[in-house]
């Protein structure tokens, strides 16, 4: 399967804990995006990378959130000191370049107890 | 401030008929538009795109129309099939930057 892969699929954690999600994009896709989706809403942009460079961050991305894409391959999204409001589906997508369709993974569902 | 709007939360259509899903946007800088389909427990799947230099793009049963003056785009599915039942999102971007998604429209195609 050469699609976008996200791990884990589900994460349940207590409030205040740190969590890290991983995304493996389609090979040779230069762009990698992170989104958050809550019930009844469309995906909300969080951040994106062009190769290893993080080019844009949404104001939704508070200081507790950090994303990396070392060597321009896989990416990680870390949330520190999780809060109830962080409960959502976190989606990763990749595309060959700008103005190209994004291919999404199946997401990581985060539940904060 | 919702830059991309899908004002119909849901739509029901009879199998074999046309489905028309609508999307409005407010940012005149948007120059690239896409439609995605999403089934439960899966990520969105790309359907069709259109750039602002065109007003129509077709791919099989799917056609997207863009009316720049009205800041409106629509997705036509003809003929509709039960397997088309899903949530449909439109998305837009400006100058190759991040994409802004609408809230989605749930399409139900009735047999």
């Amino acid at each position: 399967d050469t699609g976008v892969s996200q791990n884990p699929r589900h994460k349940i954690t207590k409030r205040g804990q740190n969590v890290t999600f991983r995304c493996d994009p389609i090979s040779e896709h230069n762009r990698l995006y992170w989104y958050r989706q809550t019930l009844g809403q469309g995906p909300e942009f969080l951040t994106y990378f062009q190769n290893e460079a993080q080019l844009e961050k949404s104001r939704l991305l508070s200081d507790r959130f950090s994303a990396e894409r070392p060597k321009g391959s896989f990416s990680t999204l870390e949330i520190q000191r999780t809060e109830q409001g962080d409960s959502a589906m976190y989606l990763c997508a990749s595309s060959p370049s700008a103005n190209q369709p994004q291919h999404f993974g199946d997401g990581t569902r985060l539940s904060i107890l | 401030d919702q830059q991309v709007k899908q004002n119909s939360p849901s739509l029901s259509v009879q199998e074999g008929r046309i489905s028309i899903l609508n999307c409005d946007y407010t940012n005149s800088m948007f120059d690239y538009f896409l439609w995605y389909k999403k089934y439960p427990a899966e990520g969105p799947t790309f359907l069709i795109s259109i750039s602002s230099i065109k007003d129509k793009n077709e791919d099989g049963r799917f056609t997207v129309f863009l009316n720049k003056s009205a800041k409106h785009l629509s997705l036509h599915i003809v003929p509709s099939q039960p397997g088309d039942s899903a949530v449909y999102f439109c998305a837009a971007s400006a100058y190759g930057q991040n994409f802004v998604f609408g809230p989605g429209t749930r399409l139900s195609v009735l047999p």
Side-chain angles (χ1 to χ4, degrees):
Chain A
D1 183 14
T2 57
V4 176
S5 176
Q6 290 189 248
N7 289 289
R9 289 296 308 275
H10 304 276
K11 180 70 177 178
I12 302 172
T13 192
K14 292 182 179 179
R15 184 165 51 94
Q17 298 294 305
N18 299 344
V19 294
T20 300
F21 311 140
R22 177 180 170 121
C23 172
D24 288 89
I26 293 172
S27 297
E28 300 176 358
H29 275 196
N30 294 325
R31 287 217 168 180
L32 187 148
Y33 301 79
W34 285 100
Y35 293 87
R36 181 173 67 188
Q37 186 175 22
T38 53
L39 198 61
Q41 300 296 317
E44 292 178 293
F45 169 76
L46 292 178
T47 187
Y48 82 89
F49 293 83
Q50 173 80 25
N51 298 312
E52 66 273 13
Q54 189 172 17
L55 295 188
E56 188 176 351
K57 291 194 291 186
S58 164
R59 59 178 183 272
L60 291 175
L61 213 65
S62 76
D63 291 344
R64 297 184 297 105
F65 288 69
S66 62
E68 294 182 342
R69 193 184 182 195
K71 302 177 184 177
S73 56
F74 72 92
S75 176
T76 57
L77 177 68
E78 181 183 16
I79 309 174
Q80 295 182 329
R81 305 180 303 283
T82 52
E83 301 174 355
Q84 293 281 353
D86 297 332
S87 294
M89 175 73 81
Y90 290 84
L91 292 163
C92 175
S94 69
S95 66
S97 62
N99 279 0
Q100 295 271 318
Q102 299 177 354
H103 298 265
F104 281 84
D106 288 336
T108 294
R109 180 168 295 284
L110 174 65
S111 298
I112 307 297
L113 301 178
Chain B
D1 173 19
Q2 202 170 36
Q3 296 187 70
V4 178
K5 303 175 186 180
Q6 294 177 257
N7 291 323
S8 297
S10 63
L11 174 70
S12 292
V13 170
Q14 208 69 35
E15 181 179 4
R17 299 285 185 98
I18 184 172
S19 295
I20 300 176
L21 297 106
N22 293 304
C23 178
D24 297 288
Y25 60 95
T26 58
N27 188 344
S28 57
M29 299 298 190
F30 286 147
D31 57 8
Y32 185 60
F33 305 87
L34 307 94
W35 283 95
Y36 284 87
K37 176 171 72 175
K38 186 180 183 304
Y39 294 121
E42 295 183 10
T45 302
F46 169 71
L47 275 177
I48 192 167
S49 64
I50 188 167
S51 78
S52 59
I53 62 173
K54 294 185 173 182
D55 54 20
K56 177 182 174 181
N57 189 25
E58 253 181 291
D59 184 1
R61 297 185 298 115
F62 302 93
T63 304
V64 55
F65 295 92
L66 176 62
N67 182 334
K68 289 185 289 294
S69 61
K71 295 192 183 70
H72 176 84
L73 67 156
S74 61
L75 175 68
H76 292 210
I77 307 173
V78 182
S80 302
Q81 300 173 353
D84 296 328
S85 297
V87 178
Y88 288 78
F89 295 100
C90 69
S93 74
Y95 306 121
Q97 295 177 352
N98 65 287
F99 285 85
V100 180
F101 282 75
T105 296
R106 182 177 300 279
L107 173 66
S108 298
V109 180
L110 309 173

